[in-house]
Amino acid sequence: MFLSLPTLTVLIPLVSLAGLFYSASVEEDFPQGCTSTTSLCFYSLLLPITIPVYVFFHLWTWMGIKLFRHN
């Protein structure tokens, strides 16, 4: 069963925040060691940046569909 959008809107940032805190507690050189793509720390910093970009483009697409339908 798929999760609803409001549930995902709350769940995804919480999971990314938990990953960020986990990386901060496990990695010894947390901010400087996040440059390698093999590091979990890299993805825990990438995810909070990716989510707002995804939401922006999702809303942009939705707005385009709404405007196309009404014109």
Side-chain angles (χ1 to χ4, degrees):
M1 181 174 173
F2 293 105
L3 297 173
S4 65
L5 184 62
T7 304
L8 287 176
T9 304
V10 172
L11 190 63
I12 290 175
L14 288 177
V15 168
S16 66
L17 189 63
L20 183 65
F21 285 143
Y22 174 76
S23 291
S25 65
V26 171
E27 298 281 334
E28 293 84 21
D29 54 345
F30 174 62
Q32 292 82 16
C34 296
T35 56
S36 173
T37 56
T38 58
S39 173
L40 175 66
C41 174
F42 177 80
Y43 293 105
S44 68
L45 293 176
L46 182 67
L47 191 60
I49 295 169
T50 306
I51 292 169
V53 171
Y54 170 76
V55 169
F56 171 77
F57 282 109
H58 181 74
L59 290 175
W60 184 268
T61 304
W62 175 78
M63 186 58 81
I65 291 170
K66 291 290 272 187
L67 289 174
F68 180 74
R69 231 186 293 166
H70 290 290
N71 286 332

